[in-house]
């Protein structure tokens, strides 16, 4: 054992990645559908740190990991976050979550005078109950102590499992019945014009009569397929290639125009063929579809965009992102030119603009250094919370001049999850010795404190969501997931309420509540005199 301990303490990078590997093995263990996921890395780190007290890698590694995590979150959720701040439901949801976060923070502070808990440990339990690694980092930086990591690690398991249990209880008590919506897949139909009332009608006038969300992608006339133009005058027996998200809507269009007539267009591709390309060129990424200018002489129309696992109907204001798969109707002679225009490179979608990442992160760190005067408290710096705010703004802006701030979704997920893992591993190893000393001295009391803080966070948020602001149940579980923060909670919420609203609630809440938690912790430290 001494030889293993010596190896771990002499090779901190080896120890770091061993912790990551073992942490994910433990994190995949599921007990009745609940698993710790990446959070298990922290506990493995604590165990290794307790066994080999001098094995901790440099703290800068942990800070770098958290920076990558927060930057990725901001870039991905920027648009949803700012949209949520301006919508009625978004304002209510943020207010409900803020009441819950501040309430749980006050409970954690009450532990200091009532039970003699140290401030850094109580704030660490506050961060752990909310599964907020960014808050943990802010507390450690403000107090220059690793006691917060001890409280964090004690409360973290309840921060993951507790909200899942409470969401399950709420679902059972309220008997919420939510039907799973259909998958977001674009439906296509060929519809023949047989309605005499449409003969001689301009295509632009027909579009005004169609239900919302219907797109006419192509027209077949006299055995030739062509792209639609606003001035095209309809004739009897024209065939319209029509797309929509809802097949029932296409039935309504067929009833208006004439009848379904499948096969006539898709079997004849001499004039127009279907091609799918990857958006990887900077000439298209970050630009709205309405601003794209195809190469001279190219006949082309965008039929749909697929992002992640969902189809998106094309619209002039839809902004392309790296990795989008764009479905096109294009003349076969122009396929090569259009592929070059969009880039169409899988490798290209995986390449990141490290200039943009470096500039964005540097700007966030610079803003985080600016001291902000707060009356009665003094001057505070936002630190990495400012980086998150800057990343949210860049994620909303998406592009500025030559800088494309967004990144492929797959790359974003890998980057931020890797960063979070490195942070948890480094903090766990560094905090291991003190963790075991503290738990050995306090017994189960810290565990109970963590439960109380967590229950305050979830119950207060749920009360304001459901009974004060009257938010729908599926939105509420998304808000609870964002207020507590762990993706495992969101995954469970999506099973309980399989609609879009849990994801939307999480996106609107998670960034703002991360900032609220960080600010609460910093203000508490400042009021206590550091």
């Amino acid at each position: 054992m001494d030889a293993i301990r010596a190896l771990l303490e002499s090779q901190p990078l080896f120890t770091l990645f061993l912790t990551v590997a073992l942490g994910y093995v433990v994190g995949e263990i599921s007990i009745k559908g609940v698993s710790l996921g990446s959070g298990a890395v922290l506990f493995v780190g604590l165990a290794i740190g307790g066994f080999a007290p001098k094995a901790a890698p440099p703290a800068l590694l942990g800070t770098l990991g958290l920076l990558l995590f927060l930057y990725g979150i901001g870039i991905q959720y920027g648009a949803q976050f700012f949209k949520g701040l301006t919508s009625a439901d978004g304002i209510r949801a943020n207010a409900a979550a803020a009441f819950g976060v501040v309430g749980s923070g006050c409970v954690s502070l009450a532990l200091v005078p009532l039970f003699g808990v140290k401030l850094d440990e109580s704030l660490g339990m506050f961060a752990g109950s909310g599964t907020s690694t960014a808050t943990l980092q802010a507390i450690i930086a403000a107090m220059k102590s690793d006691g917060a990591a001890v409280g964090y690690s004690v409360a973290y398991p309840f921060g993951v499992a507790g909200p899942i249990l409470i969401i399950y209880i709420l679902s059972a008590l309220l008997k919420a019945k939510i039907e799973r919506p259909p998958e977001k897949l674009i439906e296509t139909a060929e519809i023949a014009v047989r309605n005499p009332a449409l003969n001689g009608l301009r295509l632009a006038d027909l579009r005004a009569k169609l239900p919302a969300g219907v797109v006419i992608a192509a027209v077949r006339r006299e055995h030739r397929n062509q792209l639609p133009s606003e001035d095209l005058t309809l004739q009897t027996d024209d065939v319209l290639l029509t797309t929509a998200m809802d097949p029932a809507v296409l039935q309504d269009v067929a009833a208006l125009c004439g009848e379904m007539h499948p096969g006539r267009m898709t079997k004849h591709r001499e004039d127009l063929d279907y091609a799918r390309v990857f958006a990887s060129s900077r000439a298209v990424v970050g630009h709205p579809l309405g601003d794209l200018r195809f190469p001279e002489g190219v006949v082309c129309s965008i039929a749909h965009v697929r992002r992640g696992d969902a189809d998106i109907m094309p619209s002039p204001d839809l902004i392309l992102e790296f990795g989008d798969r764009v479905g096109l109707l294009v003349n076969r002679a122009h396929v090569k030119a259009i592929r070059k225009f969009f880039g169409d490179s899988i490798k290209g979608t995986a390449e990141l603009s490290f200039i943009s990442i470096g500039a964005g992160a540097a700007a966030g760190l610079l803003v985080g250094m600016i001291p902000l005067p707060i009356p009665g408290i003094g001057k505070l710096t936002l630190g990495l919370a400012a980086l998150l705010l800057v990343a949210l703004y860049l994620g909303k802006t998406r592009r500025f001049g030559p800088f494309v701030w967004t990144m492929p979704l797959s790359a974003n997920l890998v980057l931020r999850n890797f960063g979070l893992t490195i942070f948890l591993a480094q903090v766990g190893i560094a905090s291991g010795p003190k963790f075991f000393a503290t738990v050995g001295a306090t017994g189960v009391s810290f565990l109970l404190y963590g439960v109380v803080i967590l229950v305050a966070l979830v119950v207060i948020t749920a009360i304001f969501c459901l009974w004060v602001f009257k938010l729908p149940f599926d939105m509420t579980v998304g808000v609870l997931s964002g207020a507590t923060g762990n993706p495992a909670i969101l995954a469970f919420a999506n099973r309980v309420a399989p609609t879009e609203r849990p994801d939307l609630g999480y996106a609107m809440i998670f960034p703002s509540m991360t900032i609220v938690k960080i600010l609460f912790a910093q203000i508490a430290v400042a009021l206590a005199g550091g």
Side-chain angles (χ1 to χ4, degrees), residues 340-356:
K340 182 179 180 181
F341 175 71
F342 279 91
D344 196 31
S345 169
I346 298 178
K347 180 181 178 182
T349 64
E351 292 178 349
L352 305 179
S353 172
F354 287 100
I355 298 176
S356 297

Side-chain angles (χ1 to χ4, degrees), residues 318-502:
L318 177 63
I319 298 176
L320 288 178
E321 296 183 1
F322 279 114
D324 284 349
R325 288 155 288 173
V326 184
L328 303 161
L329 295 176
V330 59
N331 188 287
R332 287 181 175 178
H334 301 150
V335 170
K336 186 175 181 180
I338 208 69
R339 290 189 187 281
K340 182 179 180 181
F341 175 71
F342 279 91
D344 196 31
S345 169
I346 298 178
K347 180 181 178 182
T349 64
E351 292 178 349
L352 305 179
S353 172
F354 287 100
I355 298 176
S356 297
I357 293 176
L365 292 171
L366 185 62
V367 173
M369 299 176 194
I370 300 174
L372 303 175
I374 299 180
I377 296 175
K379 293 184 178 180
L380 292 179
T381 56
L382 292 179
L384 289 183
L387 179 129
L388 177 58
L389 283 172
V390 170
L392 287 167
Y393 177 75
L394 297 179
K396 174 181 178 294
T397 305
R398 300 193 182 202
R399 181 169 186 152
F400 179 76
F403 294 101
V404 178
W405 304 113
T406 58
M407 62 183 81
L409 179 60
S410 57
N412 187 311
L413 290 171
V414 170
L415 192 67
R416 73 173 194 243
N417 289 337
F418 176 73
L420 178 62
T421 300
I422 293 298
F423 172 75
L424 291 174
Q426 192 279 328
V427 169
I429 298 170
S431 306
K434 189 169 183 179
F435 169 78
F436 287 103
T438 303
V439 173
T442 61
V444 299
S445 58
F446 267 36
L447 302 179
L448 296 177
Y449 299 153
V451 171
V452 172
I453 296 170
L454 181 277
V455 170
L457 170 59
V458 179
V459 171
I460 292 174
T461 303
I463 289 173
F464 274 93
C465 282
L466 293 171
W467 291 286
V468 178
F469 296 130
K470 310 292 186 182
L471 294 178
F473 180 79
D474 50 353
M475 175 68 78
T476 296
V477 296
V479 173
L480 291 176
S481 302
T484 48
N486 194 281
I489 305 167
L490 178 62
F492 183 80
N494 277 316
R495 292 198 294 269
V496 172
T499 69
E500 289 183 340
R501 283 177 169 168

